[in-house]
Amino acid sequence: MNLQLCSPYRKCPFNCPMCIAATDDGEINNVFNLYENNRAEYFYKLAKAIQGKDTVVITGDTEPTLFPEWISNVLKFFQIIGYEGKIELQTKNYCLSSYCYEWYNLDLNLIAYSATCAKDLEKIFSFNLAKESHCRVRLVVLLTEETIDCLYKTPVKELTKFAEITFKVLQTPEREAEANYVKEHNSYDKQKLNAIIEFIQFHSSKCSIRIDENCMDATDRYEIMRIDGKMYKTWF
């Protein structure tokens, strides 16, 4: 069981398809910001929330790195109280070089970079994020024909730089707005995917590969703490 720890809210600049945390802007804007209004109570509730959790995932109803000071303060708090679990950051911000070293020294264990299209993957490779992020790096790829074709053409040495690669399967959306995206993109060449996985496994025994078929199902997997300090069982 892990804790999904949500950053303060600001409209996300990325508009990722199938975002697990995408929520109505008006609804989230109305969530009370306990962190800003009563920081002592916020961290008290955070200390309770991480009890029994082996991993904290820093994420949000938006891009969490819009609030780097909040991330730094959360990491410092975990150091102070001696949290012994793993700490991950989920992001689509590929320009974190000015923060990565600081966060690594504050015991951030892993950065998970999300890629939803070929252009995202090309940026991740060109910025050499697998090497420049200091801590372990997970590449999280939305499974579509476009992303698989891009990876299939990518030199295997680029892929084996990552500590972990997760392929996220498109799922039947609960939100109508995503239905058309799934219809248009829910197909890919499985033989190419298998070939990519085999290439990576042949050339590296250190890269862990996972196919996530139920990322939107929180049951028995995680709980969510939003910036109001309250615990939630689902994203929406």
Side-chain angles (χ1 to χ4, degrees):
M1 177 73 75
N2 71 49
L3 176 69
Q4 304 274 315
L5 181 62
C6 293
S7 68
Y9 183 74
R10 184 184 299 160
K11 188 172 180 63
C12 186
F14 296 122
N15 194 30
C16 299
M18 304 303 295
C19 175
I20 190 172
T23 315
D24 179 76
D25 284 346
E27 179 183 340
I28 293 301
N29 271 324
N30 291 328
V31 170
F32 180 71
N33 189 331
L34 182 62
Y35 173 77
E36 288 296 338
N37 286 275
N38 190 332
R39 203 157 291 188
E41 184 179 355
Y42 174 82
F43 283 116
Y44 170 74
K45 290 190 173 183
L46 178 55
K48 291 183 65 177
I50 63 174
Q51 291 179 8
K53 305 296 192 303
D54 55 17
T55 303
V56 174
V57 180
I58 297 173
T59 181
D61 299 288
T62 185
E63 168 56 48
T65 62
L66 292 172
F67 303 91
E69 181 184 356
W70 171 80
I71 294 175
S72 295
N73 286 339
V74 164
L75 292 173
K76 290 173 185 175
F77 174 73
F78 289 147
Q79 271 196 339
I80 290 169
I81 66 173
Y83 176 66
E84 296 181 349
K86 295 179 180 179
I87 308 172
E88 303 179 7
L89 169 65
Q90 292 185 340
T91 182
K92 200 178 179 181
N93 184 350
Y94 307 145
C95 302
L96 295 176
S97 58
S98 59
Y99 299 107
C100 283
Y101 188 68
E102 174 195 354
W103 293 342
Y104 169 74
N105 285 321
L106 290 172
D107 297 332
L108 180 66
N109 302 110
L110 183 144
I111 300 179
Y113 291 105
S114 174
T116 61
C117 63
K119 187 176 291 186
D120 290 346
L121 290 167
E122 290 163 2
K123 287 181 181 178
I124 290 171
F125 299 141
S126 66
F127 294 167
N128 198 21
L129 296 182
K131 294 295 184 182
E132 298 298 324
S133 300
H134 297 287
C135 56
R136 288 172 62 86
V137 174
R138 178 190 300 135
L139 177 62
V140 182
V141 183
L142 197 64
L143 269 178
T144 68
E145 183 176 2
E146 179 184 351
T147 56
I148 291 303
D149 284 349
C150 178
L151 290 176
Y152 191 73
K153 298 172 185 175
T154 300
V156 69
K157 66 179 181 179
E158 292 292 337
L159 300 179
T160 54
K161 292 178 181 179
F162 296 93
E164 303 175 20
I165 299 177
T166 296
F167 296 101
K168 292 176 67 173
V169 177
L170 286 175
Q171 298 172 279
T172 303
E174 295 187 25
R175 294 166 289 207
E176 187 175 350
E178 296 167 343
N180 289 335
Y181 182 87
V182 173
K183 288 179 182 178
E184 293 175 10
H185 296 85
N186 196 18
S187 64
Y188 58 90
D189 190 326
K190 293 185 178 180
Q191 288 186 329
K192 283 186 178 180
L193 173 61
N194 290 335
I196 292 166
I197 293 173
E198 288 175 5
F199 290 157
I200 296 170
Q201 291 176 333
F202 179 79
H203 289 279
S204 174
S205 60
K206 297 180 180 179
C207 180
S208 171
I209 299 175
R210 176 171 172 256
I211 298 178
D212 189 349
E213 298 181 336
N214 63 339
C215 63
M216 302 181 80
D217 183 8
T219 307
D220 297 326
R221 300 180 71 194
Y222 56 79
E223 293 180 326
I224 303 157
M225 179 177 164
R226 286 199 164 97
I227 202 64
D228 57 4
K230 297 179 181 178
M231 301 297 292
Y232 297 80
K233 295 293 186 183
T234 61
W235 285 106
F236 41 85

